[in-house]
Amino acid sequence: MKGKGNFIERQGFRSALASIIAIAIGMVAGLIILLISNPAKALPGFVAIATGGLSNMKYMGQVLYYATPIIMTGLSVAFAKKTGLFNIGASGQYMMGAFAAVYVGVKFTGVPAGLHCLLAILAAAVVGAVWGSVPGILKAYCNINEVIACIMMNYIGMSTCNLCVQQLIFDRKKNQSLQPVASAILPKLGFDKIFVDGGAPSSVNAGFVIAVLLGILVWVILEKTKLGFELKACGYNRDASKYGGINDKKNILLAMVISGSLAGIGGALYYLSGAGSGIPVQEVVAAEGFNGIPVALLGMSNPIAVIFTGTFMAYLTQGGLSMQSYGFPTQIVDIMSSVIIYFSAFALFFSQTIEKLYKRSKAKRAAAAQTGKGGDGK
Amino acid sequence: MSEYIIEMCNITKEFPGIIANDDITLQLKKGEIHALLGENGAGKSTLMSVLFGLYQPEKGVIKKNGEVVKVRDPNDANALGIGMVHQHFKLVHNFTVLQNIVLGMETTRHGFLRMDEARKKVVSLSEQYGLRVDPDALIEDITVGMQQRVEILKMLYRDNEILIFDEPTAVLTPQEIEELMKIMKGLAAEGKSILFITHKLNEIKQVADRCTVLRKGKYIGTIDVSNVSKEEMSEMMVGRKVALKVDKTPAEPTDVIFETQGLTVINKEHGKKVVDGVSLKVRRGEIVCVAGIDGNGQTELVQAITGLIKADSGSVILNGEDVTHSTIRYKNTHGMGHIPEDRHKHGLVLDYPLAYNLVLQSYFEPEYCTHGFLKYDEIFSYGDSLIEKYDIRSGQGGKTIARSMSGGNQQKAIVAREIDRGPELLIAVQPTRGLDVGAIEYIHRQLVAERDNGKGILLVSLELDEVMSLADRILVIYEGQIVGELDPAEVTAQELGLYMAGSKRKAVSAQ
C-alpha cells in the first residue's frame, strides 16, 4: 500500500479536484446572475468570460501580463500568512515599490540595459521591504496588531507615492508618472513574437517569468530551508518557537521584510513592462495589493499554487474585458468575477467534504468486508 | 425494589474507528462510594457522558431502581437526580457562593429574586453535610477546595441522589483531599450514592466500597476494594504488572551543576513578587524537587530560569557560567533541557510533524542543516530512531502531525527530545500531568536513569506522590519563596502538606 497509494488519498489531487468543483459552482452562480441581468446575451457573455482568455494568442499573453503583479502580491500575502501574519499592506508596499522602480527607470539614464532594469527591481524590493518592516517592527517589538499598521501604511504609501510622483517624475498631460527609459524596460524574451494577434503583440514580458521563478524560490525557502522552518514555526506557535530558541521577534520582522519586498517587486514588474502605463495619480489604494489576498487564500498560501491562482484571476480579468463587448456594464462583469472568486474560496470546504465522503465510503466498505468475513466464519 | 439505585447495563458506544465503550456494566448501590478506575482513554468519560445524556449508546440500557429510563440530555439526568462535579469547575468567578449555587434554578416571585429561602436551604445543607462555606464570599476570593464544596452544594441544592466526582483530588492539597474524603464518606452515610472517577489507587483504598475497572473500552471487572490490593488493581487497570514505587537507589550527588541566586520576578500587572529571592542548587546525580500548590510561583521560576521571561533580579548559573542574560538558544545548546509545564503552548508546534518537533532545538545543527537547507532525510531518520527508542505511538511515524497524537504520546515525544539532547541539567515541570500509570512509570524511570547518568534534575511537581517517590531533596515553594528544605525519607506527606499550605516553614540552608 506504500508508494502512490489511492488517487483520492493524495492531498494534491484532492485540493485540485476541490478547486475545480468550487470554480465550476462559481461559474454556474455567475451564469444565473447574467441570466437575471440580460437573458438574451447571457450565454454569449458567459462564454466570453469563460473563454476570453483563451480566444487568441494575444489575449493569452495579456492574461500572463495581468497575472504578473497579482502573483507577486499573492506571494507577499501568502508568505506572511505562513508566518502567522496577515499582510493586508501589500497595496502600500506595491505602490512604493512601483514608485521606486519607475524613479530609477526614469532618472538613472546611461546605465546599461540589463543592469538598469535589475537596479530598478532591486530598488522596488528595498523600498517595499522598508514599507513592510514598519508593521513588522511594531508587531514584533510593541505587539501592535499588524493589520491596523498595514492598513495605515497603505494610505501613507498611496499619498507618499502620489506626492513623490507629482514632485519628481510627473507627466502633467496624462496625470501619471513619466515612462521609464528603454534601458529599464523588462526584456520581451520573444513573447512578443508568440503572443500576437493580427500583428498586435500582447504586453507580456520577462516579468511573468520572474514572478514564476520568485514563486518557486519562495516555496523553496518555506519548505526546504532553515529560515522557512523558523518562520513557519513562529507562525504556528510563537511560544513554542521561543522555547525552541528561535528569535521570534527577528523572524516576525524578517517575514514582513520579505513579504514587503515581494509586493514591491510586483509594482516594479508591472510598471517596467513598457506597455505605456505610468503610475496614475489618484486617491485610490492600488487594487493589485488587495487582489493578492484572494490569490493567496485561494492558493491556500502555497507559493506554487499562488502562481496558478494569480493566473486564474488574471484570466477572469481578461475574460471580463471580452464580456464587455456584449454590452454588459462593467459592474456586472465585476460582480461575475467576484462571485466566481468567492465560490473558489469554498475549495477548502469541498476538499474536506470529499475527504469525509471518501472516508465514510471506505469505512462502509471495510465494515461490509468484515461482516462478510464474519458470515463466512459462522 | 432493586438493590441498585442506578445501573448501566451492557453499554456499547462506538465512535468512527473505535469502540469507546464495549459492553460495559456498572451498578451503583444506594449509599455506596463506587470508584471508576481506568487509564486515560479507557472510556471513563464516555461512560459518564452516556449516563449524563450527552451521548446515546448503540446498545445497552440505563436503569434507575430497576426500571429502564431514557436519558436523552443532561436535563433528563438532572431530573433523575444525577449530578456531577466536573474536573474543571463550572463556576461564575465574580458571583458569590450563594449566587452560584442557585444559578439556573433561582426562586423568584413576580420576577424578583427571593434569595432568603435559598440562603436558608444552603446554610442548612452545609451544616448537615459539614460543608463549611461563606455564602457571600466571591468565588474568585476562595480556595480551590472551597470552590469544590460549592460544586458539591450545587448538587445537593438540586436534591441530586447520585453524585459523580470527576477526578476531584487533582487540584487539591493533601489536607483538602483528607477533608474531601471525609465529606464523601459523610454524603454516603446520609444515603447519597457516589461515583468516583479517578486513577489514584490510594484514594480508592481510602474511601471506596467497590470499584469498577475499565481498560481500553472494555469492562474488566468490579471488585470489593477491601479484598484487593493496590498492586492487583493497577494490574487490572493497565493489563500488566506495574511498579507503583519508583525503583531507585539513594542519590550520590557530586558537584553543583546549577544554581540560582536570589532570583526574583515581579508581576507586571500587580507589582507583586511572584518569585521572591529564590536561591537553590542542583548537583549532578540528584533529583531536586520544587513542591508547592499550583500558583505559588513555580511557573515563573522555571520561565525565568529558562529565559522565557526575564528575571527582575538575581542570577542563574549553569555549569559555573552565569547564563542569566543568555539567550534561550544558548542555554539549550549549553546543557539545559526543559520539559515545559504546558506542552501545547511551549512544548510542541502542534501543526508541525512529529519529526520536526523532535528537532525543535537542534534543526540548525550541522547534522540536520547545511548551507541553510534542512536535511530532511536525516531529520526523519532521527525522528524514527527516537520514536522507536522511546516508544512514541503515532499514526504515521515522523510525518504525524503532533496535534493528532494523544496527550500521553505528545508528552513522551517531549521527554524523548529533552533527554536525547543529553542536557546536563534537566528541568522537568509536571512531566506526568494527565498521564496514566503506565506512562508515568515510564517517565519516572527515565528521569531516575538520567540522574544515575550523572545529570542534575530539577523537578517541579504538584503531585505529592510524585514528589515523595522521586525526589532526593524537596524544596517547598510558597508565595514565591522557598520555605523549607526537606528530606523525603524523613518527612511525611502530611508535614509536607503543611509546608505547602504556608502554615509551617523553616530556615533553608544554603545547600
Side-chain angles (χ1 to χ4, degrees), chain B residues 249-502:
Chain B
T249 52
E252 289 165 14
T254 55
D255 47 333
V256 173
I257 177 75
F258 172 78
E259 64 181 301
T260 65
Q261 290 168 351
L263 202 63
T264 300
V265 178
I266 296 166
N267 182 301
K268 300 283 170 299
E269 276 161 36
H270 49 68
K272 281 188 203 147
K273 287 181 179 172
V274 279
V275 177
D276 191 357
V278 170
S279 300
L280 58 85
K281 280 182 185 167
V282 180
R283 290 168 295 179
R284 290 179 185 278
E286 70 171 349
I287 298 178
V288 175
C289 179
V290 175
I293 299 164
D294 199 8
N296 274 287
Q298 299 96 321
T299 305
E300 291 83 357
L301 173 65
V302 170
Q303 293 193 345
I305 290 173
T306 54
L308 285 168
I309 58 173
K310 279 203 163 52
D312 290 279
S313 62
S315 55
V316 178
I317 295 153
L318 179 64
N319 219 350
E321 185 186 1
D322 188 329
V323 292
T324 319
H325 302 291
S326 304
T327 59
I328 298 175
R329 169 71 39 97
Y330 187 86
K331 291 177 190 174
N332 278 344
T333 49
H334 289 77
M336 189 184 281
H338 176 200
I339 298 169
E341 178 178 8
D342 188 333
R343 59 176 164 254
H344 288 169
K345 188 175 179 199
H346 290 116
L348 296 167
V349 178
L350 287 173
D351 294 302
Y352 260 180
L354 174 57
Y356 287 20
N357 274 296
L358 291 173
V359 294
L360 192 59
Q361 296 112 321
S362 50
Y363 62 90
F364 53 87
E365 303 277 11
E367 295 108 285
Y368 310 120
C369 183
T370 39
H371 309 301
F373 283 84
L374 292 179
K375 300 198 254 184
Y376 284 93
D377 291 344
E378 278 80 356
I379 289 174
F380 278 100
S381 68
Y382 174 70
D384 289 341
S385 74
L386 282 197
I387 288 169
E388 200 184 315
K389 192 167 158 197
Y390 293 88
D391 188 27
I392 306 164
R393 309 227 175 116
S394 60
Q396 300 149 288
K399 291 201 178 75
T400 316
I401 299 297
R403 189 183 292 284
S404 70
M405 292 163 55
S406 73
N409 281 302
Q410 290 175 345
Q411 186 71 15
K412 270 186 175 178
I414 295 170
V415 171
R417 178 181 73 202
E418 295 308 308
I419 288 178
D420 214 69
R421 291 202 293 121
E424 298 185 75
L425 172 78
L426 180 61
I427 302 170
V429 188
Q430 298 210 66
T432 59
R433 181 160 73 169
L435 301 188
D436 48 54
V437 186
I440 290 174
E441 180 199 25
Y442 175 82
I443 288 174
H444 283 176
R445 258 201 229 141
Q446 294 292 338
L447 291 177
V448 172
E450 283 305 293
R451 181 201 76 166
D452 295 342
N453 275 340
K455 309 290 170 63
I457 314 268
L458 182 64
L459 173 73
V460 176
S461 179
L462 308 176
E463 299 273 349
L464 261 190
D465 286 346
E466 186 166 87
V467 174
M468 295 299 283
S469 63
L470 262 189
D472 298 315
R473 268 193 307 138
I474 300 172
L475 299 172
V476 182
I477 190 167
Y478 177 72
E479 293 191 340
Q481 294 179 326
I482 301 290
V483 295
E485 178 179 338
L486 308 166
D487 181 348
E490 288 168 10
V491 72
T492 63
Q494 291 313 309
E495 199 183 348
L496 181 56
L498 290 175
Y499 279 99
M500 285 164 66

Side-chain angles (χ1 to χ4, degrees), chain B residues 159-336:
Chain B
D159 298 321
N160 288 329
E161 290 295 313
I162 299 133
L163 313 180
I164 304 170
F165 287 81
D166 187 4
E167 307 211 359
T169 58
V171 289
L172 302 182
T173 65
Q175 278 75 17
E176 285 173 328
I177 292 174
E178 199 66 30
E179 282 190 44
L180 176 69
M181 298 286 144
K182 259 185 232 155
I183 291 167
M184 285 170 71
K185 281 183 178 160
L187 289 166
E190 293 275 341
K192 305 280 184 191
S193 313
I194 295 177
L195 262 174
F196 177 30
I197 304 170
T198 186
H199 52 241
K200 293 188 188 164
L201 302 165
N202 286 336
E203 291 161 8
I204 295 180
K205 265 300 196 196
Q206 205 178 336
V207 310
D209 302 307
R210 296 193 306 148
C211 173
T212 293
V213 186
L214 306 184
R215 183 169 76 229
K216 291 178 183 159
K218 292 209 163 57
Y219 174 79
I220 303 299
T222 301
I223 49 169
D224 272 322
V225 171
S226 50
N227 302 336
V228 181
S229 73
K230 280 192 278 185
E231 284 71 20
E232 286 168 295
M233 278 196 272
S234 71
E235 204 179 326
M236 284 177 80
M237 168 165 70
V238 183
R240 61 180 168 86
K241 287 207 187 305
V242 180
L244 292 178
K245 200 85 179 117
V246 182
D247 199 14
K248 65 177 179 117
T249 52
E252 289 165 14
T254 55
D255 47 333
V256 173
I257 177 75
F258 172 78
E259 64 181 301
T260 65
Q261 290 168 351
L263 202 63
T264 300
V265 178
I266 296 166
N267 182 301
K268 300 283 170 299
E269 276 161 36
H270 49 68
K272 281 188 203 147
K273 287 181 179 172
V274 279
V275 177
D276 191 357
V278 170
S279 300
L280 58 85
K281 280 182 185 167
V282 180
R283 290 168 295 179
R284 290 179 185 278
E286 70 171 349
I287 298 178
V288 175
C289 179
V290 175
I293 299 164
D294 199 8
N296 274 287
Q298 299 96 321
T299 305
E300 291 83 357
L301 173 65
V302 170
Q303 293 193 345
I305 290 173
T306 54
L308 285 168
I309 58 173
K310 279 203 163 52
D312 290 279
S313 62
S315 55
V316 178
I317 295 153
L318 179 64
N319 219 350
E321 185 186 1
D322 188 329
V323 292
T324 319
H325 302 291
S326 304
T327 59
I328 298 175
R329 169 71 39 97
Y330 187 86
K331 291 177 190 174
N332 278 344
T333 49
H334 289 77
M336 189 184 281

